[in-house]
Coordinates of all heavy atoms in Angstrom, one line a residue:
M1 N 37.1 83.1 22.0 CA 35.9 82.8 21.4 C 34.7 83.6 22.0 O 33.9 84.0 21.3 CB 35.6 81.3 21.6 CG 34.3 80.9 21.0 SD 34.0 79.1 20.8 CE 34.2 78.5 22.5
T2 N 34.8 83.8 23.3 CA 33.7 84.5 24.0 C 33.6 85.9 23.4 O 32.5 86.4 23.0 CB 33.9 84.6 25.5 OG1 33.9 83.3 26.0 CG2 32.9 85.5 26.1
A3 N 34.8 86.6 23.2 CA 34.8 87.9 22.7 C 34.3 88.0 21.3 O 33.5 88.9 20.9 CB 36.2 88.5 22.8
N4 N 34.7 87.0 20.5 CA 34.3 87.0 19.1 C 32.8 86.7 19.0 O 32.1 87.3 18.2 CB 35.0 85.9 18.3 CG 36.3 86.5 17.7 OD1 36.4 87.7 17.4 ND2 37.3 85.6 17.5
L5 N 32.2 85.9 19.9 CA 30.8 85.6 19.8 C 30.0 86.9 20.3 O 29.0 87.2 19.7 CB 30.4 84.4 20.8 CG 30.8 83.1 20.2 CD1 30.7 82.0 21.3 CD2 30.0 82.7 19.0
L6 N 30.5 87.6 21.3 CA 29.8 88.8 21.7 C 29.9 89.9 20.6 O 29.0 90.7 20.5 CB 30.4 89.3 23.0 CG 30.1 88.5 24.2 CD1 30.8 89.1 25.5 CD2 28.6 88.5 24.5
A7 N 30.9 89.8 19.8 CA 31.0 90.8 18.7 C 30.2 90.4 17.5 O 29.6 91.3 16.8 CB 32.5 90.9 18.3
H8 N 30.1 89.1 17.2 CA 29.5 88.7 15.9 C 28.2 87.9 16.1 O 27.5 87.7 15.1 CB 30.5 87.8 15.1 CG 31.8 88.5 14.9 ND1 31.9 89.6 14.0 CD2 33.0 88.3 15.4 CE1 33.1 90.0 14.0 NE2 33.8 89.2 14.8
A9 N 27.8 87.5 17.3 CA 26.5 86.8 17.5 C 26.0 87.2 18.8 O 25.5 86.4 19.6 CB 26.8 85.3 17.5
A10 N 26.0 88.5 19.1 CA 25.6 89.1 20.4 C 24.1 88.7 20.7 O 23.8 88.6 21.9 CB 25.8 90.6 20.4
H11 N 23.3 88.6 19.7 CA 21.9 88.3 19.9 C 21.7 87.0 20.7 O 20.6 86.8 21.2 CB 21.1 88.3 18.6 CG 21.6 87.3 17.6 ND1 22.8 87.4 17.0 CD2 21.0 86.1 17.3 CE1 22.9 86.3 16.2 NE2 21.8 85.5 16.4
L12 N 22.6 86.1 20.7 CA 22.5 84.8 21.3 C 22.9 84.9 22.8 O 22.6 83.9 23.5 CB 23.4 83.8 20.6 CG 23.2 83.5 19.2 CD1 24.2 82.6 18.6 CD2 21.8 82.9 19.0
F13 N 23.4 85.9 23.3 CA 23.9 86.0 24.7 C 23.6 87.3 25.4 O 23.4 88.3 24.7 CB 25.5 85.9 24.7 CG 26.0 84.7 23.9 CD1 26.4 84.7 22.6 CD2 26.1 83.4 24.6 CE1 26.8 83.6 21.9 CE2 26.5 82.3 23.9 CZ 26.9 82.4 22.5
C14 N 23.4 87.2 26.7 CA 23.2 88.4 27.5 C 24.5 89.0 28.0 O 24.6 90.2 28.3 CB 22.2 88.2 28.6 SG 22.8 87.1 29.9
C15 N 25.5 88.1 28.1 CA 26.8 88.6 28.6 C 27.8 87.4 28.3 O 27.5 86.4 27.8 CB 26.8 88.8 30.1 SG 26.2 87.4 31.1
G16 N 29.1 87.7 28.7 CA 30.1 86.6 28.5 C 31.2 86.6 29.6 O 31.4 87.7 30.2
I17 N 31.8 85.5 29.7 CA 33.0 85.4 30.6 C 34.1 84.9 29.8 O 34.1 83.8 29.3 CB 32.8 84.5 31.8 CG1 31.6 85.1 32.7 CG2 34.0 84.4 32.6 CD1 31.2 84.1 33.8
A18 N 35.2 85.7 29.5 CA 36.3 85.3 28.7 C 37.5 84.9 29.6 O 38.0 85.8 30.4 CB 36.7 86.4 27.8
C19 N 37.9 83.7 29.5 CA 39.1 83.2 30.3 C 40.3 83.1 29.5 O 40.3 82.4 28.5 CB 38.7 81.9 31.0 SG 37.3 81.9 32.0
S20 N 41.4 83.7 29.9 CA 42.7 83.5 29.2 C 42.6 83.8 27.7 O 43.1 83.0 26.9 CB 43.3 82.2 29.5 OG 43.3 81.9 30.8
G21 N 41.9 84.8 27.4 CA 41.7 85.1 25.9 C 42.9 85.5 25.1 O 43.8 86.1 25.7
A22 N 42.8 85.1 23.9 CA 43.9 85.6 22.9 C 43.2 86.6 22.0 O 42.5 86.2 21.1 CB 44.4 84.4 22.1
Y23 N 43.3 87.8 22.3 CA 42.6 88.9 21.6 C 43.3 89.4 20.4 O 42.7 90.1 19.6 CB 42.2 90.0 22.6 CG 41.5 89.5 23.9 CD1 42.2 89.4 25.1 CD2 40.2 89.0 23.8 CE1 41.5 88.8 26.2 CE2 39.6 88.4 24.9 CZ 40.3 88.4 26.1 OH 39.6 87.8 27.2
N24 N 44.6 89.2 20.4 CA 45.4 89.6 19.2 C 46.1 88.4 18.7 O 47.1 88.0 19.2 CB 46.4 90.7 19.7 CG 47.3 91.2 18.6 OD1 47.2 90.7 17.5 ND2 48.1 92.2 18.9
R25 N 45.5 87.8 17.6 CA 46.1 86.6 17.1 C 47.4 86.7 16.5 O 48.1 85.7 16.3 CB 45.1 86.0 16.1 CG 43.9 85.4 16.8 CD 44.3 84.3 17.6 NE 43.2 83.6 18.2 CZ 43.3 82.6 19.1 NH1 44.5 82.2 19.5 NH2 42.2 82.1 19.6
T26 N 47.9 87.9 16.1 CA 49.2 88.0 15.6 C 50.3 87.7 16.6 O 51.4 87.5 16.2 CB 49.4 89.4 15.0 OG1 49.5 90.4 16.0 CG2 48.4 89.8 14.0
L27 N 49.9 87.6 17.8 CA 50.9 87.3 18.9 C 51.2 85.8 18.9 O 52.0 85.3 19.7 CB 50.4 87.8 20.2 CG 50.4 89.3 20.4 CD1 49.6 89.7 21.6 CD2 51.7 89.9 20.3
T28 N 50.4 85.0 18.2 CA 50.7 83.5 18.0 C 50.9 83.3 16.5 O 50.1 82.7 15.9 CB 49.5 82.7 18.6 OG1 48.3 83.0 17.9 CG2 49.4 82.8 20.1
P29 N 52.0 83.8 16.0 CA 52.1 83.9 14.5 C 52.3 82.5 13.8 O 52.2 82.5 12.6 CB 53.3 84.7 14.3 CG 54.1 84.5 15.6 CD 53.1 84.4 16.6
F30 N 52.5 81.4 14.5 CA 52.7 80.1 13.9 C 51.4 79.3 14.0 O 51.5 78.1 13.7 CB 53.9 79.5 14.4 CG 55.2 80.2 14.1 CD1 55.8 81.0 15.0 CD2 55.7 80.1 12.8 CE1 56.9 81.8 14.7 CE2 56.8 80.9 12.4 CZ 57.4 81.7 13.4
G31 N 50.3 79.9 14.4 CA 49.1 79.1 14.4 C 48.2 79.3 15.6 O 48.7 79.8 16.7
F32 N 47.0 79.0 15.5 CA 46.1 79.0 16.7 C 44.9 78.1 16.4 O 44.7 77.7 15.2 CB 45.6 80.4 17.0 CG 44.9 81.1 15.9 CD1 43.5 81.1 15.8 CD2 45.6 81.9 15.0 CE1 42.9 81.7 14.8 CE2 44.9 82.6 14.0 CZ 43.6 82.5 13.9
Q33 N 44.1 77.7 17.4 CA 43.0 76.8 17.3 C 43.4 75.5 16.5 O 42.7 75.0 15.7 CB 41.8 77.5 16.6 CG 41.3 78.6 17.5 CD 40.3 79.5 16.8 OE1 40.2 79.5 15.6 NE2 39.5 80.2 17.6
N34 N 44.6 75.0 16.8 CA 45.1 73.7 16.2 C 45.3 73.8 14.7 O 45.3 72.8 14.0 CB 44.2 72.6 16.6 CG 44.1 72.3 18.1 OD1 45.2 72.4 18.7 ND2 43.0 72.0 18.6
K35 N 45.3 75.0 14.2 CA 45.6 75.2 12.8 C 47.0 75.8 12.7 O 47.4 76.7 13.4 CB 44.7 76.2 12.1 CG 43.2 75.8 12.2 CD 42.9 74.8 11.1 CE 41.4 74.6 11.0 NZ 40.9 73.4 11.5
Y36 N 47.8 75.2 11.8 CA 49.2 75.6 11.8 C 49.5 76.6 10.6 O 50.6 76.6 10.1 CB 50.1 74.4 11.8 CG 49.9 73.6 13.1 CD1 49.2 72.5 13.1 CD2 50.4 74.2 14.3 CE1 49.0 71.8 14.3 CE2 50.2 73.5 15.5 CZ 49.5 72.3 15.5 OH 49.2 71.7 16.7
R37 N 48.5 77.3 10.2 CA 48.8 78.4 9.2 C 49.7 79.5 9.9 O 49.5 79.8 11.0 CB 47.5 78.9 8.7 CG 46.7 79.6 9.9 CD 45.3 79.9 9.6 NE 44.6 80.0 10.8 CZ 43.4 79.5 11.1 NH1 42.7 78.9 10.1 NH2 42.8 79.5 12.3
K38 N 50.5 80.0 9.1 CA 51.4 81.1 9.6 C 50.8 82.5 9.3 O 50.2 82.7 8.3 CB 52.8 81.0 8.9 CG 53.5 79.7 9.4 CD 54.8 79.6 8.7 CE 55.5 78.2 9.0 NZ 56.6 77.9 8.1
L39 N 51.1 83.4 10.2 CA 50.6 84.8 10.0 C 50.9 85.3 8.6 O 50.1 85.9 8.0 CB 51.3 85.6 11.1 CG 51.1 87.1 10.9 CD1 49.7 87.6 11.0 CD2 52.0 87.8 12.0
W40 N 52.1 85.0 8.1 CA 52.6 85.6 6.9 C 51.9 85.0 5.7 O 51.9 85.5 4.6 CB 54.1 85.4 6.8 CG 54.7 86.1 8.0 CD1 55.1 87.4 8.1 CD2 55.0 85.5 9.2 NE1 55.6 87.7 9.3 CE2 55.6 86.5 10.0 CE3 54.9 84.2 9.7 CZ2 56.0 86.3 11.4 CZ3 55.3 84.0 11.1 CH2 55.8 85.0 11.8
D41 N 51.3 83.8 5.9 CA 50.6 83.1 4.8 C 49.1 83.4 4.9 O 48.3 83.1 3.9 CB 50.8 81.6 4.9 CG 52.2 81.2 4.7 OD1 53.0 81.9 4.0 OD2 52.6 80.2 5.3
A42 N 48.6 83.9 6.0 CA 47.1 84.1 6.2 C 46.9 85.3 7.0 O 46.1 85.3 8.0 CB 46.5 82.8 6.8
T43 N 47.5 86.4 6.6 CA 47.4 87.6 7.4 C 45.9 88.1 7.6 O 45.5 88.4 8.8 CB 48.1 88.8 6.7 OG1 49.5 88.3 6.4 CG2 48.2 90.0 7.5
A44 N 45.1 88.0 6.6 CA 43.7 88.4 6.8 C 43.0 87.6 7.8 O 42.2 88.1 8.6 CB 43.0 88.3 5.4
T45 N 43.3 86.3 7.8 CA 42.6 85.4 8.8 C 43.0 85.8 10.2 O 42.2 85.9 11.1 CB 43.0 83.9 8.6 OG1 42.6 83.6 7.3 CG2 42.4 83.0 9.6
Y46 N 44.3 86.1 10.4 CA 44.7 86.5 11.8 C 44.0 87.8 12.2 O 43.6 87.9 13.4 CB 46.3 86.7 11.8 CG 47.0 85.4 12.0 CD1 47.2 84.5 11.0 CD2 47.6 85.1 13.2 CE1 47.9 83.3 11.2 CE2 48.3 84.0 13.4 CZ 48.4 83.0 12.4 OH 49.1 81.9 12.6
V47 N 43.9 88.7 11.3 CA 43.3 90.0 11.6 C 41.8 89.8 11.9 O 41.2 90.3 12.9 CB 43.5 91.0 10.5 CG1 42.7 92.3 10.7 CG2 45.0 91.4 10.4
E48 N 41.1 89.0 11.0 CA 39.7 88.8 11.2 C 39.3 88.1 12.5 O 38.3 88.3 13.1 CB 39.1 88.0 10.0 CG 39.1 88.8 8.7 CD 38.9 87.9 7.5 OE1 38.5 86.7 7.7 OE2 39.1 88.4 6.4
R49 N 40.2 87.1 12.9 CA 39.9 86.3 14.1 C 40.4 87.0 15.4 O 40.2 86.4 16.4 CB 40.5 85.0 13.9 CG 40.1 84.2 12.7 CD 38.8 83.5 12.8 NE 38.4 83.0 11.5 CZ 38.7 81.8 11.0 NH1 39.4 81.0 11.6 NH2 38.2 81.5 9.8
S50 N 40.9 88.2 15.3 CA 41.4 88.9 16.5 C 40.3 89.7 17.0 O 39.8 90.6 16.4 CB 42.6 89.8 16.2 OG 43.7 89.0 15.8
P51 N 39.8 89.4 18.2 CA 38.7 90.2 18.8 C 39.0 91.7 18.9 O 38.1 92.5 18.9 CB 38.5 89.6 20.2 CG 38.9 88.1 20.0 CD 40.1 88.2 19.1
F52 N 40.3 92.0 19.0 CA 40.6 93.4 19.0 C 40.0 94.1 17.8 O 39.6 95.3 17.9 CB 42.2 93.6 18.8 CG 42.9 93.7 20.1 CD1 43.8 92.8 20.5 CD2 42.7 94.8 20.9 CE1 44.5 92.9 21.6 CE2 43.4 94.9 22.1 CZ 44.3 94.0 22.5
M53 N 40.0 93.5 16.7 CA 39.5 94.1 15.4 C 38.0 94.3 15.4 O 37.5 95.1 14.5 CB 40.0 93.3 14.2 CG 41.6 93.2 14.2 SD 42.5 94.8 14.4 CE 42.1 95.6 12.9
S54 N 37.3 93.7 16.3 CA 35.9 93.9 16.3 C 35.4 94.3 17.7 O 34.2 94.2 18.0 CB 35.1 92.6 15.9 OG 35.6 91.5 16.5
A55 N 36.3 94.8 18.5 CA 36.0 95.3 19.8 C 34.9 96.4 19.8 O 34.1 96.5 20.8 CB 37.2 95.8 20.6
N56 N 34.9 97.1 18.8 CA 33.9 98.2 18.7 C 32.4 97.7 18.6 O 31.5 98.4 18.8 CB 34.2 99.1 17.5 CG 34.1 98.4 16.2 OD1 34.5 97.2 16.1 ND2 33.7 99.0 15.1
K57 N 32.3 96.4 18.3 CA 30.9 95.8 18.1 C 30.4 95.2 19.4 O 29.3 94.7 19.5 CB 31.0 94.7 17.0 CG 31.3 95.2 15.7 CD 31.3 94.1 14.7 CE 31.7 94.7 13.3 NZ 32.1 93.6 12.4
I58 N 31.3 95.1 20.4 CA 30.9 94.4 21.7 C 30.2 95.4 22.5 O 30.7 96.4 23.0 CB 32.2 93.8 22.4 CG1 32.8 92.7 21.5 CG2 31.8 93.3 23.8 CD1 34.1 92.2 22.1
R59 N 28.9 95.1 22.8 CA 28.1 96.0 23.6 C 27.5 95.3 24.9 O 27.0 95.9 25.8 CB 26.9 96.4 22.8 CG 27.3 97.3 21.6 CD 27.6 98.7 22.1 NE 28.0 99.6 21.0 CZ 29.3 100.0 20.8 NH1 30.2 99.7 21.7 NH2 29.6 100.7 19.8
K60 N 27.6 93.9 24.9 CA 27.2 93.2 26.0 C 28.2 93.1 27.1 O 29.4 93.2 26.8 CB 26.8 91.8 25.6 CG 25.7 91.7 24.5 CD 24.3 91.9 25.1 CE 23.2 91.9 24.1 NZ 22.9 90.6 23.5
P61 N 27.8 93.0 28.4 CA 28.8 92.9 29.4 C 29.7 91.7 29.3 O 29.3 90.6 28.9 CB 28.0 92.7 30.7 CG 26.6 93.2 30.3 CD 26.5 92.9 28.9
V62 N 31.0 91.8 29.5 CA 32.0 90.7 29.4 C 32.9 90.8 30.6 O 33.5 91.9 30.9 CB 32.7 90.7 28.1 CG1 33.4 92.0 27.8 CG2 33.6 89.5 28.0
L63 N 33.1 89.7 31.3 CA 34.1 89.6 32.4 C 35.4 89.0 31.8 O 35.3 87.9 31.2 CB 33.6 88.8 33.5 CG 34.6 88.4 34.6 CD1 35.0 89.7 35.4 CD2 33.9 87.4 35.6
L64 N 36.5 89.7 31.9 CA 37.8 89.2 31.4 C 38.5 88.6 32.6 O 38.8 89.3 33.6 CB 38.6 90.3 30.8 CG 38.0 91.1 29.6 CD1 38.9 92.1 29.1 CD2 37.5 90.1 28.5
I65 N 39.0 87.3 32.5 CA 39.7 86.7 33.6 C 41.0 86.2 32.9 O 41.0 85.6 31.9 CB 39.0 85.5 34.1 CG1 37.7 85.9 34.8 CG2 39.8 84.7 35.2 CD1 36.8 84.7 35.2
H66 N 42.1 86.5 33.6 CA 43.4 86.0 33.0 C 44.4 85.8 34.1 O 44.8 86.8 34.8 CB 44.0 87.1 32.0 CG 44.7 86.5 30.9 ND1 44.5 86.9 29.6 CD2 45.5 85.4 30.8 CE1 45.3 86.2 28.8 NE2 45.9 85.3 29.5
G67 N 44.9 84.6 34.3 CA 45.8 84.3 35.4 C 47.3 84.6 34.9 O 47.6 84.4 33.7
E68 N 48.1 84.9 35.8 CA 49.5 85.2 35.5 C 50.2 84.0 34.8 O 51.1 84.2 34.0 CB 50.3 85.5 36.8 CG 50.0 86.9 37.4 CD 50.6 88.0 36.5 OE1 51.7 87.8 35.9 OE2 49.9 89.1 36.4
E69 N 49.8 82.8 35.1 CA 50.4 81.6 34.6 C 49.6 81.0 33.4 O 49.9 79.8 33.1 CB 50.8 80.6 35.7 CG 51.8 81.3 36.7 CD 52.2 80.3 37.7 OE1 52.2 79.1 37.5 OE2 52.7 80.8 38.8
D70 N 48.6 81.7 32.9 CA 47.9 81.2 31.8 C 48.6 81.5 30.5 O 48.2 82.3 29.7 CB 46.5 81.8 31.7 CG 45.6 81.4 32.9 OD1 45.9 80.4 33.5 OD2 44.6 82.1 33.2
C71 N 49.8 80.9 30.3 CA 50.6 81.3 29.2 C 50.7 80.2 28.1 O 51.4 80.3 27.2 CB 52.0 81.6 29.6 SG 52.8 80.3 30.5
D72 N 49.9 79.1 28.3 CA 49.9 78.1 27.2 C 49.1 78.6 26.0 O 48.3 79.5 26.1 CB 49.3 76.8 27.7 CG 47.8 76.9 28.1 OD1 47.4 78.0 28.5 OD2 47.1 76.0 27.8
Q73 N 49.5 78.1 24.8 CA 48.9 78.5 23.6 C 48.9 80.0 23.3 O 48.0 80.6 22.7 CB 47.5 78.0 23.5 CG 47.4 76.5 23.6 CD 46.1 75.9 23.3 OE1 45.3 76.4 22.7 NE2 45.9 74.7 23.9
G74 N 49.8 80.7 23.9 CA 50.0 82.1 23.5 C 49.0 83.1 24.2 O 48.9 84.2 23.8
T75 N 48.3 82.6 25.2 CA 47.3 83.5 25.8 C 48.0 84.2 27.0 O 47.7 84.1 28.1 CB 46.1 82.7 26.3 OG1 46.5 81.7 27.2 CG2 45.4 82.1 25.2
L76 N 49.0 85.0 26.6 CA 49.7 85.8 27.6 C 48.8 86.9 28.2 O 47.9 87.4 27.6 CB 50.9 86.5 26.9 CG 51.8 85.5 26.2 CD1 52.9 86.3 25.4 CD2 52.5 84.6 27.1
T77 N 49.1 87.1 29.5 CA 48.3 88.1 30.2 C 48.4 89.5 29.5 O 47.5 90.3 29.7 CB 48.7 88.3 31.7 OG1 50.1 88.5 31.7 CG2 48.3 87.0 32.5
M78 N 49.4 89.7 28.8 CA 49.6 91.0 28.1 C 48.5 91.2 27.1 O 48.3 92.3 26.6 CB 50.9 91.1 27.4 CG 51.1 90.1 26.3 SD 52.6 90.2 25.4 CE 52.2 91.6 24.3
Q79 N 47.7 90.2 26.8 CA 46.6 90.4 25.8 C 45.4 91.0 26.5 O 44.6 91.7 25.9 CB 46.2 89.1 25.2 CG 47.4 88.5 24.4 CD 46.9 87.8 23.1 OE1 45.8 88.0 22.7 NE2 47.8 87.0 22.6
S80 N 45.2 90.7 27.8 CA 43.9 91.1 28.4 C 43.9 92.6 28.7 O 42.8 93.3 28.6 CB 43.6 90.3 29.7 OG 43.2 89.0 29.3
D81 N 45.0 93.2 29.2 CA 44.9 94.6 29.6 C 44.6 95.5 28.4 O 43.7 96.4 28.5 CB 46.3 95.0 30.3 CG 46.4 94.5 31.7 OD1 45.3 94.2 32.3 OD2 47.5 94.3 32.2
P82 N 45.3 95.3 27.3 CA 45.0 96.2 26.1 C 43.5 96.0 25.6 O 42.9 96.9 25.2 CB 46.0 95.8 25.0 CG 47.1 95.1 25.8 CD 46.5 94.5 27.0
F83 N 43.0 94.7 25.7 CA 41.7 94.4 25.3 C 40.7 95.1 26.2 O 39.7 95.7 25.7 CB 41.4 92.9 25.2 CG 40.1 92.6 24.5 CD1 39.9 93.0 23.2 CD2 39.1 91.9 25.2 CE1 38.7 92.7 22.6 CE2 37.9 91.6 24.6 CZ 37.7 92.0 23.3
F84 N 40.9 95.0 27.5 CA 40.1 95.7 28.5 C 40.1 97.2 28.2 O 39.0 97.9 28.1 CB 40.7 95.5 29.9 CG 40.0 96.3 31.0 CD1 38.8 95.8 31.5 CD2 40.5 97.5 31.4 CE1 38.2 96.5 32.5 CE2 39.9 98.2 32.5 CZ 38.7 97.7 33.0
N85 N 41.2 97.8 27.9 CA 41.3 99.2 27.6 C 40.6 99.6 26.3 O 40.0 100.6 26.2 CB 42.7 99.7 27.6 CG 43.3 99.7 29.0 OD1 42.6 99.9 30.0 ND2 44.6 99.5 29.1
T86 N 40.7 98.7 25.3 CA 40.0 98.9 24.1 C 38.5 98.9 24.3 O 37.8 99.7 23.7 CB 40.4 97.8 23.1 OG1 41.8 97.8 22.9 CG2 39.7 97.9 21.8
L87 N 38.0 97.9 25.1 CA 36.5 97.9 25.4 C 36.1 99.2 26.1 O 35.1 99.8 25.8 CB 36.2 96.7 26.2 CG 36.3 95.3 25.5 CD1 36.1 94.2 26.5 CD2 35.4 95.2 24.3
K88 N 36.9 99.6 27.1 CA 36.6 100.9 27.8 C 36.6 102.1 26.8 O 35.8 103.0 26.9 CB 37.6 101.1 28.9 CG 37.3 100.3 30.1 CD 38.0 100.8 31.4 CE 37.2 102.1 31.8 NZ 37.5 102.5 33.1
G89 N 37.6 102.0 25.9 CA 37.6 103.1 24.9 C 36.4 103.2 24.0 O 36.0 104.3 23.5
H90 N 35.7 102.1 23.9 CA 34.5 102.0 23.1 C 33.2 102.2 24.0 O 32.1 101.9 23.6 CB 34.4 100.8 22.3 CG 35.3 100.8 21.1 ND1 35.1 101.6 20.0 CD2 36.5 100.2 20.8 CE1 36.0 101.4 19.1 NE2 36.9 100.6 19.6
G91 N 33.4 102.6 25.2 CA 32.3 102.9 26.1 C 31.9 101.9 27.1 O 30.9 102.1 27.9
A92 N 32.6 100.7 27.2 CA 32.3 99.7 28.2 C 32.6 100.3 29.6 O 33.5 101.0 29.8 CB 33.0 98.5 28.0
L93 N 31.8 99.9 30.6 CA 32.0 100.3 31.9 C 32.7 99.2 32.7 O 32.6 98.0 32.3 CB 30.7 100.6 32.6 CG 29.8 101.6 32.0 CD1 28.4 101.7 32.7 CD2 30.5 103.0 32.1
S94 N 33.5 99.5 33.7 CA 34.2 98.5 34.5 C 33.6 98.6 35.9 O 33.0 99.6 36.3 CB 35.7 98.8 34.5 OG 36.0 99.9 35.3
P95 N 33.8 97.5 36.7 CA 33.2 97.5 38.0 C 33.7 98.7 38.9 O 33.0 99.1 39.8 CB 33.7 96.2 38.6 CG 33.9 95.3 37.4 CD 34.4 96.3 36.3
S96 N 34.8 99.3 38.6 CA 35.3 100.4 39.4 C 34.6 101.7 39.0 O 34.8 102.7 39.7 CB 36.8 100.5 39.2 OG 37.2 100.7 37.9
D97 N 33.9 101.7 37.9 CA 33.2 103.0 37.5 C 32.0 103.2 38.5 O 31.2 102.3 38.8 CB 32.6 102.8 36.1 CG 33.7 102.8 35.0 OD1 34.7 103.5 35.2 OD2 33.5 102.1 34.0
S98 N 31.9 104.4 39.0 CA 30.9 104.7 40.0 C 29.5 104.7 39.5 O 28.6 104.6 40.2 CB 31.2 106.1 40.6 OG 31.2 107.1 39.5
S99 N 29.3 104.7 38.1 CA 28.0 104.6 37.6 C 27.4 103.2 37.6 O 26.2 103.0 37.3 CB 28.0 105.2 36.1 OG 28.9 104.4 35.4
L100 N 28.1 102.2 38.0 CA 27.6 100.8 38.1 C 27.0 100.6 39.4 O 27.4 101.1 40.4 CB 28.6 99.8 37.8 CG 29.1 99.7 36.3 CD1 30.2 98.6 36.2 CD2 28.0 99.4 35.4
Ligands
LIG201 C1 49.0 92.9 18.1 O1 50.2 92.3 18.1 C2 51.1 92.9 17.2 C3 52.4 92.1 17.3 O2 52.2 90.8 16.8 C4 51.3 94.3 17.4 O3 52.2 94.9 16.5 C5 50.0 95.0 17.4 O4 50.1 96.4 17.8 C6 49.0 94.3 18.3 N1 47.7 94.9 18.2 C7 47.0 95.4 19.2 C8 45.7 96.0 18.9 O5 47.4 95.3 20.4

């Protein structure tokens, strides 16, 4: 939700902290957010709600936090690394960048 808000309603926030995010909704193909629609029945919804697909719109600072055991509801840690790299690919800086 944090990532989607920073992409679609960035004027409301100066930054965000995303915990255990699900950035690629196709990885939970049998539903998310307590809706049991299936990926194959609502492909466009899955794509639209995946922050990956709007990562290019995120310009505000965001801290991504993801614990190794945060695996409930499909928020596998494997989602955060690619999302982090996607944000970097669109110009986001990370704390390890010397320019910060
Ligand atoms: C999202 O997950 C699907 C598998 O469900 C994979 O094929 C696709 O490459 C992933 N997209 C990204 C941007 O990681």
